[in-house]
Amino acid sequence: MSVELVEVVRSGFRECIHRGSLIVLDPDGEVLVSLGEVHTPIYPRSSNKPMQAVALLRAGFVPRDSAELAIATASHEGEADHVEAVERILSGAGFTEKDLRCPTDLPGNELTRAEVLAAGRTPRSIYMNCSGKHAAMLAACAANGWDTDGYTDAGHPLQQLVTETILELTGDIEDADLGIDGCGLPIVPVPLFNLARAYSRLATAEVGTPERAVADAVREHPFLISGTGKDDLKLMRAVGGLLCKAGADGIHAGALPDGTSFAFKIDDGHERARLPLTAALLHRLGAGAAANAATFDSERLAVLSSAPVFGGGVRVGTVRAVPGVF
């Protein structure tokens, strides 16, 4: 059964509550915190992307720099730097935007979206937040001579490798029926316990491995894997060396450099719960997190752990982790 994780307080009144499940593991994989259904499979959504990127490297995707690898793990906002990075992967592998099989969309960033609409432009596949992953998948197919028209199909050699890689990194989970993610690709269901363990493996992987390459690219380019004002960008700037990746519908997973890891799912999928919960969790880890981070901005985390609630343009409340939940 899930538990109360995040509350919304307005004018001193508890207005809303977000329930969910959460796991925190120490560097040895032992449980520090376990709340709710942490062994029940969920769809990690985009929190699976770093593991998918590991599979792409294993399949022969050769990014020309860490920025190209970062955009392959991204849930980007369609901003200029994001679009440019995706275009670089496509052109480098001999493809164009027309080869992408992700849906068309407008940029997620409000300003960029407004500029696109003001210019009379229409939704494009490259604006879709998963376009970097799709571009890298095309490049991996080209490296192997695989068919590209069907690269999104679960039976495609690339998707079979992706599934095998996720099952390997998460470990000790039974094959489960694949779902279809928002971008049209297969999605592997994973329990929160196993998701956290996979992030620990990525964060502590040996230099020179695909796992370490992905972890380093994400940590080096938090803007590329998210975008202006996004949760992952704010958190990785506050905690140096943190590896984290948000997923749609209230998912978040991450790990510190020493392998301390976490994963959670908000039952109602509301994304406002994610940032204050993760910030409060990292703040709660405190000295241990600080000792394993290049930078640890405790004051910044404290601010992020209390998202504002407004009334008439004035702050009248907060979105925060339920006191004493950890």
Side-chain angles (χ1 to χ4, degrees):
M1 181 181 295
S2 59
V3 301
E4 295 183 352
L5 292 178
V6 176
E7 64 181 8
V8 181
V9 179
R10 179 184 296 274
S11 303
F13 180 81
R14 196 190 210 196
E15 185 176 35
C16 302
I17 190 74
H18 298 289
R19 301 178 66 88
S21 300
L22 176 148
I23 187 77
V24 183
L25 304 177
D26 73 11
D28 295 321
E30 298 298 320
V31 176
L32 293 175
V33 180
S34 179
L35 301 170
E37 300 292 337
V38 300
H39 294 290
T40 301
I42 61 156
Y43 287 141
R45 307 296 297 276
S46 287
S47 293
N48 272 355
K49 282 179 177 173
M51 293 181 283
Q52 291 171 319
V54 170
L56 299 184
L57 291 178
R58 292 178 178 180
F61 168 51
V62 182
R64 287 171 289 186
D65 53 33
S66 59
E68 288 192 2
L69 181 53
I71 202 68
T73 73
S75 297
H76 66 72
E77 289 287 280
E79 296 171 83
D81 287 351
H82 300 138
V83 172
E84 180 184 356
V86 177
E87 288 176 335
R88 286 179 57 207
I89 293 177
L90 289 171
S91 63
F95 296 101
T96 70
E97 183 177 351
K98 293 181 180 179
D99 296 299
L100 294 172
R101 292 294 178 265
C102 55
T104 61
D105 203 354
L106 289 168
N109 176 264
E110 290 186 9
L111 178 58
T112 306
R113 182 169 64 251
E115 291 172 344
V116 166
L117 292 173
R121 297 196 291 271
T122 56
R124 297 171 55 187
S125 293
I126 207 164
Y127 291 147
M128 201 267 170
N129 76 89
C130 298
S131 64
K133 175 175 67 175
H134 280 253
M137 286 184 173
L138 286 168
C141 287
N144 289 277
W146 290 333
D147 171 56
T148 56
D149 288 337
Y151 77 86
T152 62
D153 297 337
H156 190 280
L158 178 62
Q159 298 309 327
Q160 291 179 336
L161 177 59
V162 169
T163 298
E164 291 168 5
T165 300
I166 292 175
L167 292 175
E168 173 196 328
L169 292 172
T170 54
D172 300 330
I173 60 176
E174 297 180 0
D175 280 330
D177 292 336
L178 301 180
I180 301 298
D181 212 340
C183 67
L185 287 167
I187 183 168
V188 181
V190 177
L192 291 171
F193 175 86
N194 300 80
L195 184 61
R197 184 161 63 176
Y199 271 75
S200 178
R201 289 174 174 173
L202 293 174
T204 60
E206 293 291 331
V207 174
T209 62
E211 293 89 335
R212 181 59 177 269
V214 170
D216 285 348
V218 171
R219 292 183 286 212
E220 183 181 354
H221 300 283
F223 172 78
L224 279 181
I225 68 103
S226 56
T228 301
K230 301 302 289 183
D231 296 348
D232 287 331
L233 176 64
K234 292 178 179 179
L235 290 163
M236 284 191 276
R237 283 183 172 174
V239 181
L242 173 66
L243 165 70
C244 64
K245 184 69 189 68
D249 291 329
I251 305 291
H252 210 198
L256 291 165
D258 71 341
T260 302
S261 60
F262 70 88
F264 64 77
K265 161 70 177 172
I266 301 300
D267 284 354
D268 61 19
H270 207 305
E271 298 195 356
R272 72 178 172 184
R274 181 166 49 220
L275 179 60
L277 182 58
T278 304
L281 173 59
L282 291 169
H283 194 269
R284 174 68 178 81
L285 289 173
N292 291 289
T295 58
F296 186 81
D297 192 335
S298 180
E299 292 183 4
R300 182 59 180 156
L301 285 175
V303 170
L304 294 176
S305 66
S306 180
V309 171
F310 293 101
V314 178
R315 180 169 181 156
V316 297
T318 183
V319 183
R320 67 187 180 191
V322 171
V325 69
F326 301 125

